[in-house]
Amino acid sequence: MTQEKKNCLNCGKPIQGRVDKKFCDDSCRNTYNNQQNADSTNLIRNINHTLKKNRNILESIIPKGEELSKTTRERLMRLGFNFKFFTHVYQNKKGNQYHYCYDFGFLELEGDWFLIVKGKEIL
C-alpha cells in the first residue's frame, strides 16, 4: 500500500511522520494559526490599545492624591483621547452618565467641560 505524501499547510514542504500530521514543525503550525487569526487579533489589540491610552490620559489629568479634576474637550483631544472607546457606563441617582475607561471615568459638563473621576473598585 503506497502512502500519499502530504505537504505542510504553511510552507508546502513534504511532511514525514504521523498520517494525520498537517505541519512539518511547531514553527509552521504557529505561523499558520497566527495568520488565520490575524484580523480578529489585530482588531482586539487595537481596541485594547485605545482603551489603555484613554485610561492613561484620564489618569494623567487627575493630580496625585486627588479623586477628581476638571478639564476641557480641547485638552482631551489634544492629548489623543478617543471619545468612542470606553469600557462601561455608570449612571448615578441624579441620572448623570459617567463613561469609564477601566477605573477612570469622565462626565460631560456644560460648555465643553468634563469632570474626570477616579472610580471605586468594582469586583
Side-chain angles (χ1 to χ4, degrees):
M1 181 171 169
T2 61
Q3 189 174 4
E4 184 181 325
K5 287 283 186 180
K6 292 178 83 176
N7 293 330
C8 176
L9 291 177
N10 185 58
C11 68
K13 292 180 183 174
I15 297 174
Q16 297 194 7
R18 293 188 343 238
V19 177
D20 62 341
K21 202 169 173 185
K22 297 179 181 180
F23 305 98
C24 57
D25 59 24
D26 286 338
S27 176
C28 276
R29 180 180 48 83
N30 286 332
T31 301
Y32 179 85
N33 288 321
N34 286 340
Q35 287 172 348
Q36 296 298 310
N37 299 323
D39 289 342
S40 64
T41 302
N42 283 337
L43 174 66
I44 293 167
R45 184 181 303 121
N46 291 337
I47 290 171
N48 284 335
H49 176 76
T50 302
L51 287 169
K52 288 177 187 178
K53 182 177 179 182
N54 279 354
R55 184 215 176 266
N56 291 339
I57 290 169
L58 294 175
E59 181 183 29
S60 73
I61 291 172
I62 299 177
K64 296 284 185 220
E66 299 291 325
E67 297 289 318
L68 52 89
S69 183
K70 278 187 176 180
T71 192
T72 63
R73 176 181 299 275
E74 189 274 324
R75 181 179 178 201
L76 288 169
M77 291 175 70
R78 189 176 66 243
L79 292 171
F81 193 84
N82 189 331
F83 289 94
K84 294 179 187 176
F85 291 87
F86 48 89
T87 56
H88 61 286
V89 176
Y90 169 74
Q91 186 169 344
N92 66 9
K93 292 177 184 176
K94 294 180 183 177
N96 298 327
Q97 279 195 343
Y98 291 80
H99 292 77
Y100 276 83
C101 295
Y102 303 108
D103 55 339
F104 287 88
F106 61 94
L107 171 66
E108 190 167 0
L109 304 172
E110 292 180 12
D112 278 348
W113 281 90
F114 286 85
L115 178 67
I116 311 301
V117 297
K118 181 177 181 182
K120 308 288 187 245
E121 267 190 51
I122 302 172
L123 296 177

